[in-house]
Amino acid sequence: MKTGLSDLLCVNRKFLIYNLIVRNLKIRYRKSYIGIVWTMLIPAANAIVYNIVFRYVMKVDIPNYLVLILSGLIPWAFFSTALTNGMESLVGNQSVLNKVPIPSYSFTLAEVLTAFTNLILSIPVITVVVLFSQVDFSLLQLFIPLTLVILLIQAYGIGLILAYAFVYFRDLRHLLGIVIQIWFYLTPILYRTTMIPEEYRFVLFLNPVASLFQYIHMALGIEEFSIQPIFASLVWTIIIMILSLLVLNKLNDDVVESL
Amino acid sequence: MMLPVISLNSVSKSFTLWSDRTYSIKELLVNLSRGKIKSAHKKKIEVLQNISFDIYPGEFVGIMGHNGAGKSTTLKIISGIYKPTTGSVIIGGSIAPLLELGAGFTDELSGYDNIFLNAAILGFGRRKTSQNLDSIIEFSELGDRIHTPVRNYSSGMTIRLAFSIAVHLDAPILLFDEVLAVGDVSFQQKCINKIMELHKQGKTIILITHSPEIVQQFCDRCIVISNKMKIFDGNPLEGVEIYKSSTFKH
């Protein structure tokens, strides 16, 4: 039986997905009532360090620089966590997948949604930061949640491909760490796209998530609005979903036996 | 004429084994650079050969066979974890696949939380789980300990909880894989009583076991699998004899 786009949402397995997310959150924040603060603390600390290094040492001149990097670092923290944990989702649950007939991708979805829950919980914090900064209100800001949902869809698609690949290539874990680090610097988080020399700017379109972070910059008034990034992110989302469905349908029967 | 709830039609299953399968990207790159693209030593091993049987609603079937004969693979094919290589499987009704009790149990969570998690993994929804919550906790004999982490349970307590969840979820077909080999004698007896109660309610039960007593006393029918094939299907008393002789021959 073919797995389709609607299957990936696990609609008839809502109770399972919910319980897996609750499990993930409870394990991660066990005995730590300020758990969510810890998740926030890493991007916040990074933002302060980058702010000092780039603003005062390297003399980058962007208004509201701290707000800019913080509003990029928090979605990035979600994205990298979703990919890392998503990749481990099948191998990490092999004892269940070997004993219970269960769609393998439900574990990947649960991991990605767990990371997304953390992102949602940090939205109020960042909203407060934006309100107290000198960023002007713009209608574009109302669509930032939509941007984050697109990022979620992309993270799920890429996470699925990684999860399946990890079953066959166990050294992917080391490689992904390096890739995520390089990917971070190739994404407009610490800089705005206009700082890239014009002839190299096309590279951004090769990066599925670049235009989503570019949109956040546009919404915060750090960059001029343009329509291309929106098209680019939609095209990339479609490509990623098609690729992940192809991988899923090719390997679905084999993957449990290979675990 | 009653329709079978489970119907296996000349099912065979083989696994592919690669003697030089690459398990890392590093090896893959090395092989690619040497011009070796396809794995050379591919070997198929057959684990089930041409197995057919029909199981009707309300039957209590014991599956026997020596280790490695293919019993667990048969159960995995029935539950849908594995797809048959050839042949077909038809299932009419939802299955509680209890190939391992307590699948997905998480040590850090309380027994109470694990009830919901385990039920969800077994494919049940919120309503069915909540409806049966009280009877699950009562049967498990855990009392107040249900709210403490499973990490602090003895193995007997864990198994009691897992079995309790499994049998209270009201699935019409239940598959058990050697679950009665665990727990102390009194709890084993309680498990058997519970399985018999479910059987009386008209549920279909398939049980893998090595115990001739259980098959002779409780099962309606016995299937013996030996060396990848079904060698007997019928009366439990005869089945046990055939199982014993097939074990000794092996």
Side-chain angles (χ1 to χ4, degrees), chain B residues 10-30:
Chain B
S10 39
V11 164
S12 297
K13 178 72 191 167
S14 44
F15 294 110
T16 315
L17 288 186
W18 282 272
S19 54
D20 60 347
R21 183 166 194 172
T22 53
Y23 275 105
S24 72
I25 296 170
K26 196 181 80 190
E27 281 175 54
L28 182 76
L29 292 177
V30 170

Side-chain angles (χ1 to χ4, degrees), chain B residues 204-246:
Chain B
T204 311
I205 294 161
I206 302 175
L207 176 75
I208 288 182
T209 180
H210 286 291
S211 154
E213 292 79 28
I214 289 176
V215 174
Q216 286 176 338
Q217 273 186 48
F218 303 109
C219 293
D220 307 326
R221 180 176 157 193
C222 174
I223 293 176
V224 182
I225 295 177
S226 174
N227 199 19
K228 308 162 203 169
M229 283 184 285
K230 184 177 93 171
I231 57 164
F232 178 82
D233 186 349
N235 182 295
L237 297 173
E238 271 177 68
V240 166
E241 291 314 311
I242 288 180
Y243 162 69
K244 282 179 180 162
S245 59
S246 81

Side-chain angles (χ1 to χ4, degrees), chain A residues 23 26 168 170-171 257, chain B residues 13 21 23 25 106 113:
Chain A
R23 172 185 75 170
K26 277 191 178 168
Y168 302 94
R170 299 293 168 97
D171 59 347
E257 290 167 22
Chain B
K13 178 72 191 167
R21 183 166 194 172
Y23 275 105
I25 296 170
T106 305
D113 290 339

Side-chain angles (χ1 to χ4, degrees), chain A residues 9-67:
Chain A
L9 294 174
C10 299
V11 184
N12 49 5
R13 291 247 176 194
K14 275 186 298 232
F15 185 58
L16 171 67
I17 301 295
Y18 169 79
N19 276 291
L20 289 174
I21 295 173
V22 170
R23 172 185 75 170
N24 292 344
L25 291 172
K26 277 191 178 168
I27 293 175
R28 247 150 260 176
Y29 299 141
R30 180 165 49 110
K31 286 178 193 157
S32 121
Y33 292 103
I34 53 162
I36 180 67
V37 179
W38 285 114
T39 322
M40 289 285 301
L41 216 56
I42 297 162
N46 281 337
I48 291 166
V49 171
Y50 289 131
N51 189 43
I52 293 169
V53 171
F54 287 97
R55 196 164 178 190
Y56 297 106
V57 182
M58 316 273 279
K59 312 278 185 215
V60 171
D61 182 30
I62 299 179
N64 295 315
Y65 190 58
L66 186 62
V67 181

Side-chain angles (χ1 to χ4, degrees), chain A residues 25 39 50 66 81 132 134 150 159 192 199-200 207 246 254:
Chain A
L25 291 172
T39 322
Y50 289 131
L66 186 62
T81 311
F132 279 93
Q134 284 106 38
I150 296 174
R192 46 181 169 189
E199 64 265 39
Y200 296 118
N207 177 354
L246 285 176
D254 183 63

Side-chain angles (χ1 to χ4, degrees), chain B residues 1-246:
Chain B
M1 185 61 197
M2 236 187 327
L3 285 170
V5 278
I6 294 167
S7 176
L8 265 67
N9 212 326
S10 39
V11 164
S12 297
K13 178 72 191 167
S14 44
F15 294 110
T16 315
L17 288 186
W18 282 272
S19 54
D20 60 347
R21 183 166 194 172
T22 53
Y23 275 105
S24 72
I25 296 170
K26 196 181 80 190
E27 281 175 54
L28 182 76
L29 292 177
V30 170
N31 284 347
L32 281 178
S33 69
R34 288 182 188 152
K36 247 172 70 180
I37 297 166
K38 283 250 154 125
S39 191
H41 304 286
K42 214 168 160 184
K43 206 171 77 182
K44 284 220 160 191
I45 51 159
E46 198 159 50
V47 286
L48 287 181
Q49 236 172 48
N50 201 23
I51 293 205
S52 303
F53 54 77
D54 289 336
I55 290 172
Y56 292 89
E59 273 193 297
F60 187 168
V61 181
I63 298 184
M64 305 190 86
H66 51 76
N67 290 329
K71 307 181 299 291
S72 293
T73 309
T74 309
L75 231 51
K76 283 186 177 187
I77 291 210
I78 294 174
S79 62
I81 299 166
Y82 290 163
K83 302 265 178 303
T85 309
T86 57
S88 66
V89 183
I90 299 166
I91 305 293
S94 71
I95 293 184
L98 310 166
L99 278 64
E100 185 179 70
L101 289 177
F105 261 25
T106 305
D107 280 354
E108 283 86 351
L109 299 183
S110 69
Y112 188 87
D113 290 339
N114 270 304
I115 294 177
F116 286 90
L117 182 62
N118 184 237
I121 285 174
L122 291 175
F124 297 93
R126 184 186 307 277
R127 191 184 307 153
K128 217 164 209 181
T129 313
S130 310
Q131 267 171 7
N132 297 304
L133 194 56
D134 293 337
S135 38
I136 291 172
I137 298 173
E138 199 196 307
F139 188 88
S140 73
E141 300 170 10
L142 281 169
D144 291 340
R145 297 282 306 268
I146 197 76
H147 295 290
T148 60
V150 167
R151 172 168 30 95
N152 300 332
Y153 288 9
S154 66
S155 55
M157 289 162 79
T158 314
I159 270 305
R160 259 169 19 221
L161 179 61
F163 184 85
S164 181
I165 301 168
V167 294
H168 283 93
L169 289 169
D170 205 28
I173 308 167
L174 292 102
L175 310 179
F176 293 102
D177 192 350
E178 294 183 61
V179 290
L180 295 176
V182 287
D184 58 24
V185 180
S186 69
F187 191 70
Q188 261 184 38
Q189 193 52 50
K190 196 175 166 184
C191 291
I192 292 172
N193 292 345
K194 184 71 196 176
I195 292 178
M196 285 313 288
E197 188 191 317
L198 294 169
H199 176 47
K200 287 205 187 84
Q201 287 168 14
K203 301 203 187 296
T204 311
I205 294 161
I206 302 175
L207 176 75
I208 288 182
T209 180
H210 286 291
S211 154
E213 292 79 28
I214 289 176
V215 174
Q216 286 176 338
Q217 273 186 48
F218 303 109
C219 293
D220 307 326
R221 180 176 157 193
C222 174
I223 293 176
V224 182
I225 295 177
S226 174
N227 199 19
K228 308 162 203 169
M229 283 184 285
K230 184 177 93 171
I231 57 164
F232 178 82
D233 186 349
N235 182 295
L237 297 173
E238 271 177 68
V240 166
E241 291 314 311
I242 288 180
Y243 162 69
K244 282 179 180 162
S245 59
S246 81

Side-chain angles (χ1 to χ4, degrees), chain A residues 238-252:
Chain A
I238 294 166
I239 293 173
I240 288 167
M241 287 332 285
I242 291 173
L243 277 179
S244 57
L245 281 176
L246 285 176
V247 171
L248 208 68
N249 282 310
K250 178 105 178 83
L251 296 174
N252 218 359

